[in-house]
Amino acid sequence: MFRRLLQLRSRSRRLVPVCAAALVLLSIAWPAIARAATPALERLDPTAEYGDWAPPGVELEFTPLERRLFQAADEGRSDWRWLLAAALAAGGERDESRVERAVCEAEAWGERLQAQLARSGEGARASADISGEGARASADARQRAIAVLEFLHEHVLRGDYRPDASGVSQALAGGGYNCVGATVLFCCLAECCGLPASAAESPGHVFCRVFGASGEIVVETTCRDWFRAANPRDSARRTGPARELSLRGLAALVYYNAGVDLLAKRRFDKALGANLKALRLDPANLAARSNFLAGLNNWALEFNAQRDFAAAVRLLEHGLRIAPDHRPFRVNYVAVHQRWVEALLESDRYELALDRLAMARGKLPEAAYFESAAIDIQRRFAAQLERADR
């Protein structure tokens, strides 16, 4: 089915960050940390970058479609078809026949757009109040960008703009869309008609850049009237510093946004997996890294709230191993042990409390609490023994 589309020749063209609160104790119950892998899914190669970030007992799972898409990306076989399929897979689409239908529909849109541009191209160039080959090329790039944006909003994005709607499947079905989904689809249409374009990420936002002979043209893909409402020459100043995204990086944003949604629902294992896939595609995605660490931390706090201190400590120790300077891990490692020790002392299990403090001090020796708490417990234990005449 879709496998054949991944064989096609590659063409090289290349958010809404939400980080969970690090120190807030969560309160709803959550199942045990270890989860059985779904048999139909494949696992991430542990030698891959970020492959050892998955916490104990949690496997990063790939659908067969994702496995082929990631392999194609690693081999440099990524074009707009790959981008569209990867964005759909990142949004949770597992039906490969629906993915193939979406790609075929996009191909049909591209053919219609190319025909439209061919009909209007000569007239637009003849009527442009410019001179010189370079200027004509710049005008042609701008006119093509306008045509792509108008086609996108007239024929593809039939729903309304919604900041939380990053799923491409939803956008193609006539539902809402945000800057990520709109930019994915704009890039696909632009490449279909030979318009040089790439995506760019600024804090909390993603947009497109189209390249003409006189420089870049910024396109806010969520705004149908962008070229009428804004002065394109000033738009670069309004967007501020931005990071250029490859096709992999743009697909990674869809995984990242899926992770944001899953984290908000406290589906911690799935949220961690989505952010790891984003990092697998784009190791420079700092928002995905931050949300992975926040998800790991908040999952530990969830276990802490359930008094499953051992599970919470396992997650925090894993976090300290992969990100030893991440302050929430260090703070909460002490906080969880405080509650664990208190729980042990409630039932007079002094020796277990001392053993736990000794192990924790070995992991985080610079935390003064572990030594001072051990001294206090030894005194209390000695007093208890004395009262018991032992």
Side-chain angles (χ1 to χ4, degrees):
M1 306 271 312
F2 184 72
R3 190 190 306 263
R4 64 183 179 81
L5 296 174
L6 299 179
Q7 313 279 329
L8 298 174
R9 181 171 61 88
S10 166
R11 286 183 242 174
S12 58
R13 302 278 179 236
R14 224 195 4 166
L15 325 266
V16 185
V18 177
C19 291
L23 302 177
V24 177
L25 290 175
L26 304 176
S27 59
I28 77 165
W30 194 254
I33 184 170
R35 289 191 154 222
T38 306
L41 301 178
E42 299 181 54
R43 297 176 179 178
L44 175 69
D45 178 359
T47 63
E49 192 161 11
Y50 291 100
D52 63 345
W53 275 39
V58 175
E59 297 289 348
L60 181 56
E61 301 167 335
F62 281 29
T63 66
L65 173 60
E66 286 178 309
R67 173 66 68 175
R68 294 198 298 276
L69 287 166
F70 275 65
Q71 182 178 352
D74 289 342
E75 295 172 357
R77 295 183 291 115
S78 53
D79 61 2
W80 72 264
R81 296 172 181 82
W82 178 92
L83 172 62
L84 181 55
L88 291 167
E93 181 60 73
R94 296 185 179 184
D95 188 327
E96 296 191 29
S97 63
R98 284 202 292 264
V99 173
E100 185 167 17
R101 283 196 298 272
V103 172
C104 290
E105 186 176 22
E107 287 177 329
W109 285 329
E111 290 171 0
R112 288 171 58 189
L113 184 54
Q114 288 182 54
Q116 174 184 316
L117 288 167
R119 289 192 300 269
S120 62
E122 290 301 324
R125 282 193 292 271
S127 63
D129 185 19
I130 53 177
S131 62
E133 290 298 324
R136 281 198 295 273
S138 293
D140 183 59
R142 187 171 188 274
Q143 291 302 317
R144 283 173 173 265
I146 292 171
V148 171
L149 186 63
E150 290 180 346
F151 188 95
L152 175 69
H153 283 272
E154 183 174 353
H155 300 288
V156 184
L157 299 177
R158 300 184 298 277
D160 298 322
Y161 171 76
R162 282 183 23 219
D164 62 338
S166 59
V168 176
S169 293
Q170 183 180 8
L172 292 176
Y177 61 88
N178 71 359
C179 60
V180 176
T183 298
V184 166
L185 294 168
F186 182 94
C187 286
C188 290
L189 291 175
E191 191 167 347
C192 277
C193 65
L195 177 65
S198 72
E201 177 192 19
S202 61
H205 186 51
V206 64
F207 57 95
C208 267
R209 288 169 169 161
V210 172
F211 302 98
S214 61
E216 70 177 40
I217 302 167
V218 170
V219 183
E220 290 288 357
T221 58
T222 58
C223 179
R224 177 174 184 160
D225 299 325
W226 170 246
F227 287 97
R228 287 188 287 272
N231 182 345
R233 287 175 297 183
D234 297 333
S235 59
R237 286 195 292 273
R238 286 197 293 274
T239 54
R243 179 174 74 100
E244 185 175 357
L245 295 173
S246 65
L247 296 181
R248 291 174 63 125
L250 188 50
L253 283 185
V254 185
Y255 276 111
Y256 162 73
N257 277 350
V260 170
D261 294 339
L262 291 163
L263 192 55
K265 297 173 183 175
R266 295 172 181 162
R267 298 180 61 189
F268 296 107
D269 56 344
K270 300 300 182 185
L272 295 179
N275 280 293
L276 280 178
K277 289 175 184 178
L279 290 168
R280 178 73 169 77
L281 288 172
D282 182 12
N285 189 324
L286 297 181
R289 184 183 186 278
S290 295
N291 262 26
F292 176 86
L293 298 179
L296 190 63
N297 178 75
N298 280 13
W299 197 5
L301 295 180
E302 184 87 345
F303 282 120
N304 183 63
Q306 300 169 24
R307 297 174 66 88
D308 189 347
F309 305 116
V313 165
R314 281 197 299 272
L315 287 175
L316 291 170
E317 287 181 348
H318 178 71
L320 287 169
R321 183 180 67 79
I322 62 176
D325 296 327
H326 189 58
R327 186 171 181 273
F329 293 151
R330 304 167 73 85
V331 171
N332 287 325
Y333 192 67
V334 174
V336 170
H337 276 93
Q338 286 175 321
R339 290 197 64 191
W340 196 354
V341 167
E342 289 170 4
L344 291 171
L345 295 180
E346 287 171 3
S347 54
D348 294 332
R349 290 183 286 177
Y350 293 95
E351 291 173 287
L352 285 176
L354 289 169
D355 288 343
R356 172 38 49 192
L357 288 170
M359 286 187 281
R361 186 182 179 191
K363 298 287 185 180
L364 198 64
E366 62 271 28
Y369 163 76
F370 298 122
E371 183 176 2
S372 62
I375 293 171
D376 180 63
I377 291 171
Q378 287 168 351
R379 289 172 179 163
R380 292 166 63 179
F381 191 21
Q384 187 207 51
L385 292 176
E386 186 176 350
R387 286 194 299 272
D389 195 24
R390 292 169 59 188

